[in-house]
Amino acid sequence: MLYRMINPPEISWIAILPVLLLSATAMLTMVADLWTDGPDREGLGWIGLVGLMATAIAAVALWNTKLTSFAGAVVVDRYGLFFTLLFCVAAGLTLLMSMSYLEQTDIRTGDYYSLILFSTVGMVVMATAADLIVVFLGLEVMSIAAYALAGIWRSQVRSNEAALKYFLLGAFATGFLLFGIALLYGVAGTTTLTGIAQTASGATAEQRTLLIAGMALMIVGFGFKVAAVPFHAWAPDVYEGAPTSVTALMAVGVKSAAFAAFARIFMHTLAVMSPDWSAVLWVLAVLTMTVGNVTALLQRNIKRMLAYSSIAHAGYLLVGMVAGGELGGSAILFYLLAYTLMTLGAFSVVIALGRRGQPNENLEDYAGAGFRSPFLGMAMSIFMLSLAGIPPFGGFVGKFYIFSAAVKSGYIGLTVIGVMNSLISVYYYVGVLVRMYMTDGGVEITQPSSRPYLFATLVVAVAGTIALGLFPSTLFEVARQSFLALG
Amino acid sequence: MHEAITHTAVAVSYLWLIPALPALGVLVNLSLGALLGKGAVGFIAPGTVAGGFGVALYCLVQILQLPPGSALEQTLWPWISAGNLQVDIAFRVDALSAVMICVVTGVGFLIHIYSVGYMHDDPSYARYFIYLNLFTCAMLILVLADNLPLLFVGWEGVGLCSYLLIGFWFDKEANASAGKKAFVVNRVGDAGFLLGTFLLFWSLGVGTHSLSFQDIAAHAKSIPLDTVTLITLLLFVGATGKSAQLPLYVWLPDAMAGPTPVSALIHAATMVTAGVYMIARLNFLFVLAPATLTVVATIGALTALFAASIGLMQNDIKKVLAYSTVSQLGYMFLGVGVGAFSAGVFHLMTHAFFKGLLFLGSGSVIHGMHGEQDMRRMGGLRTYMPTTYRTFLIGTLAIAGVPGLAGFFSKDLILAHAFSSSPVLWLVGLCAAGMTAFYMFRLVFMTFWGECRADEHTKHHIHESPATMTVPLVLLAVLSIVGGYVGLPEMWAWGNRFDAFLAPVFAAAQGGEHHMEMGLEYALMAASVGVAVGGIALAYVLYVARPELPGQIADQAAGAYDLISNKYYVDELYDAVLVQPALKLSNLLWRVVDVGIVDGIVNGSARVVGASSSFWRRWQTGNVEHYAVSMLFGAVLILVFFAWHSS
């Protein structure tokens, strides 16, 4: 009989506790939706928040362990847990801002909350995957939920368009990734990361060729998810069209999850091949930073501008991968956290400026906003300055870590290009400040203090962005330990 | 002679108060400004700066009581730690920082008080003081910082505040574009600063580094000469941006669009001197790169002469002072460039007094004249505004280098050092000094002497400014006189106490002391006084005794006159050499790749990036097939690159 032939793998339920809790929460919101009447579904958001909190607690509780499950296909180490916590923060803030945002949209379906949570489940799976098949599984769970979320505002044509584009191109990119996985499997005879690492360290010339081809295709797949040039073209259209809270989740969560798997596979599993892949990533980093920043200069829709900004930030993160080593790896982790907080904050301000039937997403709409709502003005100023890498905010320290790592690894040219890029970026980030403080006009603003969920999101993001700028060393130490847990 | 100096540091717990007090002012006025009303805002903002001044004075007294070379230190918390990098949030007050914090908070306080009167009727009163306090906080962080990254925090902070304050009255188009110009030019400087910092970090070698100034000083000698020259040159690029030196000075004259007290505080007394401070702070690094110091001194001397000559023909009262500031900053760079760091800092301090005074005085004039800034429509104001006139005259005498006032001592010291370094530099500086005397007295004669040329309505309303404005003027006038007596020439009375006070900070720089013969020193002094008196006399002849002469000269030497009164066409040159080609390139790219979706507009110097930006926008057709093809294209490129790179 068939079941006798299959050896069931040992499963450590403790290890996958965060994923279990998160999945259970997602399903619970689906079920609870049946008992929710009326247009107000904030209760579902609360369930999600509690679930994320439980997940985070479980992740913290597992911090000092290193467990594997499913015969080594899932590894719960500090690296994976760091990202689990990062996703909890990202998803939590997304839920929180959604609870205010959905009021100004026609999205009245409870699926919205469960999809966000399912997408987060995929992210956690990606970050804790120790097998290429599991990476792929996580990626698909995350992406399919994200495709659906992008199109969830069904009455909006641009939301539908965004979903379709994202889905078509995402499927295309996944093809590349899968092909790359297949090639690596072909070389190593296994999809486990440890097996691939062993093969890579003693690879023959023939095997190397196949490994390189596999790496190239995986770079395309991950490059798409992190929105690296030239695989970025979808991002501006999708970011602009998707509901703003979903855009925020895509910009921080999806990108971070892709980097989690990307960095684990390339900086750890394929570390011996780094002379090969780092040259390619060098070029991608330069292209991504430059195209992202230069194109952002011309944008007049804030969501598109932030889309290009997020492309540029993918470029800085690639610089961290190129720099490599303990410093480069920890810098990426730290940078992703700072990036998550300031980007989510910026999108919250975009939401705060919008009103029902009046998205107010053009830069002109920001005219004089700094005076009409001093709190929003201050918050947006902090996010923009931080994204631009101006001290003393988290973004500056993150860039400082990344570029220090690049300098220490001898990539002076890359650092010069990176610094130049971050100087170009100041122009469009500060452009928002100029609109807010040096022009008149603009739109009427609902004071954020009258929208408690959004207000809470902003307060957390502001506090986090400042704290990461002033007290980065503790978190950097956590990031360092997490990266070192890769072994 | 300074070997015996020990560098001892005393840990104290109150340094954080100095920047924190103005920061508190920002927080209070930001959150409660609308509720509190003007009275409270105008009390809180100067009050916090006064508190900072109190602590700064206390620090100065402490430093004076401790043995020479001592410093006060406070490490607040570890900031950036990564691998072998361990940067703290730490403040340090040595003699140099003590002078700077006293100048920043002292002059800053007077200008805050003045602003209470000057900005009284402005609808954005609270916003103004929030910016001004924020600036003070950032400037204090800059001069208190114990390490280069923290100094950069202040560096960026003051830049941002300067930008916000230049565009403070943003309803005028010119002001907004002046802000933009300052911003773009300073970006160039910041690039140099950041790259210099990273290069420095890279070249410090193995071991844990805090990038604190002691750490850099301890390891600086192990950096190869070429690298140290490159690092210092990059840092100097940063300084030329912030301190408005050739060729990046163009933003400062335009920055006069901001409120006049802002011009006094940021664009004369404090922020623009940050470049001089940074070089003085890193003196041990700069002395290792003689080539850089030569560049610094040369740029400084040329800027001094160049800007002074433009100042000769300006008719806007603030523009004259702006070019004068550029010119005086040139002197400071000349000073530090010839290794006379304490002389450069001495001039920085006296300049803060008299230029702060002159700007505030011009503000008082503009206030009295209801916004008029053109000197051709002024005249005779000394009878209407006696206090403003007298204090302004003292400031003018000080900047002109008339013996007995602050500017005489500091300028003379720089020129003496320049002479022992290179007589050519000295001669350039001397010419600029003569021009300075001329254009400043031209300003005084045109503004305060003769007949009033304003229209009847304005004339009728000319009035002396209120006490909140005149009291700071009087105090700064006193400082413009007595401020110089801390640094007398060596052979007089108590000699140069200022130099002795700062000497430990510049110990690395003082390998060979210049001991000049007394006769030579007196000769140089006589030359300085001679050109100053000559300049004043010439101004008197041209603008008081025979006022018809300037017109005739302008006719006879039309070419030179046009050249100078048009500021050597530098703005036009930049436009022709940088902006226009960029526009052409942009247009060319536009036509080549144009597919009809032209709607991007980027102005000014951003055109170059704008052009390539619009190229990438073309990529963004919105068409899924195109996107997919571009991905495929990218995938092929990566495979080809791998094949090429790995073979």
Side-chain angles (χ1 to χ4, degrees), chain B residues 494-573:
Chain B
W494 51 78
N496 196 336
R497 290 295 178 87
F498 191 79
D499 184 61
F501 179 56
L502 288 182
V505 181
F506 303 128
Q510 292 174 337
E513 284 279 302
H514 301 294
H515 276 294
M516 212 173 265
E517 276 179 47
M518 202 182 282
L520 180 58
E521 197 147 334
Y522 275 116
L524 292 179
M525 205 180 283
S528 306
V529 176
V531 296
V533 172
I536 297 170
L538 188 63
Y540 183 82
V541 169
L542 290 181
Y543 290 91
V544 180
R546 301 188 57 192
E548 73 283 0
L549 269 180
Q552 294 173 9
I553 296 172
D555 290 341
Q556 276 163 18
Y561 185 86
D562 279 351
L563 185 67
I564 296 177
S565 61
N566 284 301
K567 301 168 279 184
Y568 295 100
Y569 296 99
V570 169
D571 281 326
E572 288 78 3
L573 182 78

Side-chain angles (χ1 to χ4, degrees), chain A residues 118-135:
Chain A
F118 278 126
S119 186
T120 315
V121 169
M123 295 173 199
V124 175
V125 171
M126 277 181 88
T128 50
D131 188 298
L132 291 177
I133 294 300
V134 181
V135 170

